[in-house]
């Protein structure tokens, strides 16, 4: 009965997508284990589709239970076909808590990025704790000097924060628990807990009233 309700070509496409997703659910776990003790993921992860992982020398990634990561393939229409990326530079850390959900984020740690429990990252967010380059143009003429003089500061996102799609979170920022960051924001300064904030640069719009 099911086959009669949809065209055969649509059934083949759906079947291929199902097989593809099941493959990457297993392959991504294998990839994570291949990094050894420098990358750990807790119970019941769901890593959907192909993603980029780059773990540099003397760095670590620690992820809690029930981590859900969607990567491209229009799994979240706002992400379209953008792949998720998790990367560290030398001697850097990424720590992600329990029950975190993300759609096609780019998380790149040069020093330390900490994401708390029950955080949701909207489609195509960027979390970057470094300028990546020196602000001195003379330094940038030499890649080694440039890298030595870049400025990096830890990022902390506390529990139950909701980050809107296409938000950019930059170095040295702390976002307080339960706050909501509007889509398309650029966060360059600390955001207190229990508030709604948005804009470029991101500013508090109003406090969230609690019963």
């Amino acid at each position: 009965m099911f086959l009669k309700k949809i065209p055969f070509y649509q059934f083949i496409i759906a079947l291929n997508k199902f097989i593809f997703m099941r493959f990457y659910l297993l392959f991504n776990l294998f990839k994570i284990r291949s990094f050894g003790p420098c990358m750990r993921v807790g119970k019941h992860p769901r890593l959907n589709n192909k993603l980029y992982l780059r773990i540099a020398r003397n760095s670590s990634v620690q992820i809690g239970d029930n981590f859900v990561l969607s990567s491209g393939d229009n799994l979240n229409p706002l992400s379209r076909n953008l792949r998720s990326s998790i990367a560290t530079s030398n001697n850097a850390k990424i720590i992600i808590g329990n029950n975190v959900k993300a759609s096609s984020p780019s998380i790149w740690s040069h020093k330390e990025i900490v994401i708390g429990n029950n955080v949701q990252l909207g489609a195509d967010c960027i979390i970057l704790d470094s300028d990546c380059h020196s602000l001195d143009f003379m330094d940038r003429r030499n890649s080694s000097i440039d890298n030595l003089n870049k400025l990096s500061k830890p990022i902390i996102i506390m529990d139950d924060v909701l980050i809107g799609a296409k938000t950019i979170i930059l170095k040295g920022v702390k976002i307080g628990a339960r706050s909501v960051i509007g889509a398309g924001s650029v966060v360059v300064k600390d955001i207190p807990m229990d508030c709604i904030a948005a804009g470029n640069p991101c500013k508090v719009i109003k406090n969230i009233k609690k019963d």
Side-chain angles (χ1 to χ4, degrees):
M1 292 296 292
F2 174 73
L3 292 178
K4 294 180 181 179
K5 292 181 180 180
I6 65 170
F8 182 71
Y9 76 91
Q10 289 186 6
F11 170 75
I12 295 299
I13 292 172
L15 179 62
N16 180 67
K17 188 172 183 178
F18 173 79
I19 294 171
F20 184 80
M21 288 185 64
R22 295 299 298 178
F23 167 77
Y24 272 108
L25 284 173
L26 297 174
F27 178 76
N28 288 331
L29 292 178
F30 171 79
K31 183 188 291 188
I32 285 169
R33 293 192 180 103
S34 72
F35 287 106
C38 64
M39 184 170 190
R40 296 293 189 186
V41 176
K43 300 176 181 177
H44 312 301
R46 188 171 183 87
L47 308 175
N48 297 299
N49 229 340
K50 190 173 183 178
L51 59 126
Y52 295 111
L53 289 175
R54 191 180 77 185
I55 313 301
R57 186 175 66 253
N58 298 323
S59 65
S60 65
V61 177
Q62 304 294 323
I63 300 173
D65 297 339
N66 306 312
F67 181 54
V68 178
L69 183 69
S70 298
S71 182
D73 204 28
N74 208 41
L75 296 175
N76 180 337
L78 294 175
S79 300
R80 302 175 304 285
N81 200 34
L82 297 170
R83 289 184 189 171
S84 296
S85 177
I86 297 177
T88 62
S89 294
N90 294 340
N91 306 305
K93 292 182 182 179
I94 296 175
I95 301 172
I96 299 175
N98 299 322
N99 308 311
V100 172
K101 298 179 181 179
S103 295
S104 298
S106 176
I107 303 173
W108 187 7
S109 176
H110 292 247
K111 192 175 185 68
E112 184 175 45
I113 294 174
V114 178
I115 299 174
N117 300 318
N118 307 304
V119 171
Q120 296 189 37
L121 300 177
D124 192 18
C125 287
I126 295 174
I127 303 176
L128 176 63
D129 66 350
S130 177
D131 291 334
C132 296
H133 297 279
S134 171
L135 300 184
D136 187 323
F137 74 95
M138 291 297 293
D139 291 345
R140 295 195 299 270
R141 292 181 178 183
N142 183 297
S143 59
S144 297
I145 295 174
D146 183 26
N147 188 58
L148 287 173
N149 290 309
K150 69 185 181 185
L151 184 59
S152 304
K153 295 181 180 179
I155 291 173
I156 300 174
I157 301 173
M158 298 184 72
D159 295 350
D160 298 291
V161 169
L162 173 61
I163 308 292
K166 296 185 178 298
T167 291
I168 300 174
I169 301 173
L170 297 177
K171 68 178 189 302
V173 164
K174 181 178 181 180
I175 300 177
R178 301 173 296 277
S179 285
V180 177
I181 307 299
S185 297
V186 179
V187 188
V188 296
K189 294 183 179 180
D190 290 355
I191 302 298
M193 63 179 62
D194 296 307
C195 74
I196 297 174
N200 179 8
C202 188
K203 297 180 180 179
V204 174
I205 296 173
K206 67 175 183 178
N207 294 323
I208 298 173
K209 295 181 179 179
K210 295 186 292 183
D211 295 332

